[in-house]
Amino acid sequence: MGNTSAAKEWLSCALKDIEEAELLDKNDFYTDKIGFSLQQGCEKCLKAVLAFKNQKITKVHDLVELLAQVDTVLSFDEYVETMTRLNGFYISSRYPMPIIFSPSREQTKLYILKTQELYTTISNLCS
């Protein structure tokens, strides 16, 4: 049996990040800031799987690396493109540097949907 309580703690934090992204999007906020919130939400969702499986959670922020760690539970191919895109927001939205990728509103909405899907899938898995 998995560690449901630890997974729920991670998912609770993830949900706050996802809801923040939704709120920012609703108010037409900067898409790179929305991307950062989504990146954080996805990171916590993926770490919830590790917690559920009682695996060590390292200080890794790379979503593709985390996705590979939970590949036995989630389809790597289904999420890798979104995780790769969201990875770019971890640093770029926090420090003054040229913005390499600022998604359109339409792209942002797709990232929100994919993140919500990831959250729902992992919530169901860990309950």
Side-chain angles (χ1 to χ4, degrees):
M1 179 164 222
N3 189 340
T4 305
S5 115
K8 284 183 179 181
E9 288 180 33
W10 280 100
L11 288 169
S12 176
C13 292
L15 184 58
K16 290 177 186 177
D17 291 323
I18 296 165
E19 289 175 340
E20 176 181 62
E22 293 167 345
L23 184 62
L24 293 173
D25 181 58
K26 181 179 176 183
N27 289 288
D28 292 326
F29 207 72
Y30 304 113
T31 58
D32 60 321
K33 297 298 183 185
I34 296 167
F36 176 72
S37 295
L38 293 172
Q39 186 279 338
Q40 290 289 287
C42 287
E43 179 180 334
K44 291 167 186 157
C45 282
L46 295 169
K47 288 181 177 181
V49 176
L50 295 174
F52 182 73
K53 295 175 69 179
N54 290 307
Q55 293 182 350
K56 183 177 181 181
I57 299 171
T58 58
K59 291 186 179 185
V60 171
H61 306 290
D62 185 315
L63 299 178
V64 175
E65 184 177 333
L66 289 167
L67 183 60
Q69 290 179 34
V70 300
D71 191 20
T72 58
V73 179
L74 293 172
S75 169
F76 184 85
D77 293 339
E78 185 176 341
Y79 294 101
V80 69
E81 182 180 342
T82 302
M83 298 302 108
T84 300
R85 290 290 188 173
L86 292 179
N87 261 346
F89 296 110
Y90 178 68
I91 298 294
S92 66
S93 70
R94 298 175 66 196
Y95 298 101
M97 59 178 33
I99 295 176
I100 298 169
F101 175 69
S102 187
S104 67
R105 291 275 164 216
E106 295 75 28
Q107 288 171 314
T108 301
K109 290 187 186 314
L110 290 174
Y111 297 147
I112 290 172
L113 288 173
K114 200 64 175 175
T115 301
Q116 290 168 331
E117 176 189 313
L118 178 73
Y119 175 83
T120 301
T121 300
I122 292 173
S123 291
N124 291 337
L125 171 81
C126 296
S127 49

